[in-house]
Amino acid sequence: MQKSAIPILIASVGTWALLLVCSRALIIGLGLDPWMFTFLQMGSGGLFFIMISRGTEVGVSALWRVDTWLIGIFRIGTAALYMAALIHVDVLQAGFFGSISVPMSALAVCLLFSRQPTRLELLGHIPLVAGSLTTAFGFDGRLENPALFLLALSQVCVLSASLFAERHPHMVALAPRTRLRLTGIVLLLTAIGFAAWRILQSAAGLAGDADLAELMRPELWAAGLGLGITLRGLATYLGLRAAAVAGTHNYLAAALALPMVGAVLECFVAWYGYGAWPNVGPLQIVAGILIVTGGIIVIYARKRAGKRATQAA
């Protein structure tokens, strides 16, 4: 992993945590529709990035690439499944269970690219799996909670989107505008697919019809456009870029810090009376300790393996 990837990983985790905390505070505080709010964020963030990246050659050529559409499709799956899971669990539980993505990414990288993890790294995956299972046993209904399947499938989508972004030529390009353009296109495709998925759900009777009165609320538009332009586009760009420069498995390992950073930010917001305090119980504490322990071991093992590979070369 390049040293230049570390600031990008830190910025990615911090930006995503800030986006999620602000989104949750606005949804609860203003009583916003989560689906409409997310759609406006994605759409405005995508359009903004496309506008500021004018002058690049990337445009229609990116739309003709299959991997561009696959990134968009997997991001649609990520957003839709995650939103559906939050009906059954809270944000902290969803974040802790997401640590299962690190062992999943290690397995995928091993099978697809023949990158064998070291024995020390394999030991680090044990507490990560244990932390995910501990979190799952804290769900209402435990392993029968629908969130278990929804979040697991969401993590598969996260992993797939990151793997394609890692090798997308426009994301590894040297020109920043090229990368911004791809991010904007992916966000716009995701917003369109997200809206289409919601319409299909309503038509099938799996979700309520969109409330036009809700759609016309000025605070919905102000919050959605504001966060979309300032944070959603930036968080998506940094996430895709982190996967490209650090590798999917390292990006997902860094993302283990996301629930903890988010919880700290939620406490900060709650302290000033703009949101609810995070609900942290004994199971969350145990899961958090296991996840932090496993994450430290995995990151240390990969750093040590990288140094040995450099010295051998």
Side-chain angles (χ1 to χ4, degrees), residues 132-140 142-143 283:
S132 296
L133 290 175
T134 302
T135 303
F137 276 104
F139 293 168
D140 291 336
R142 296 194 171 185
L143 300 183
L283 278 177

Side-chain angles (χ1 to χ4, degrees), residues 58-59 61-72 160-174 178-179 181-183 185-186 189 240-241 243-245 248:
V58 180
S61 61
L63 291 174
W64 286 110
R65 293 188 59 88
V66 175
D67 48 359
T68 301
W69 285 90
L70 288 173
I71 293 172
S160 302
S162 299
L163 285 171
F164 280 110
E166 180 181 343
R167 281 163 173 73
H168 198 292
H170 296 154
M171 187 48 66
V172 298
L174 294 176
T178 300
R179 301 194 297 265
R181 190 79 164 182
L182 175 65
T183 303
I185 290 171
V186 168
L189 290 176
L240 295 175
R241 183 61 179 160
V245 298
T248 298

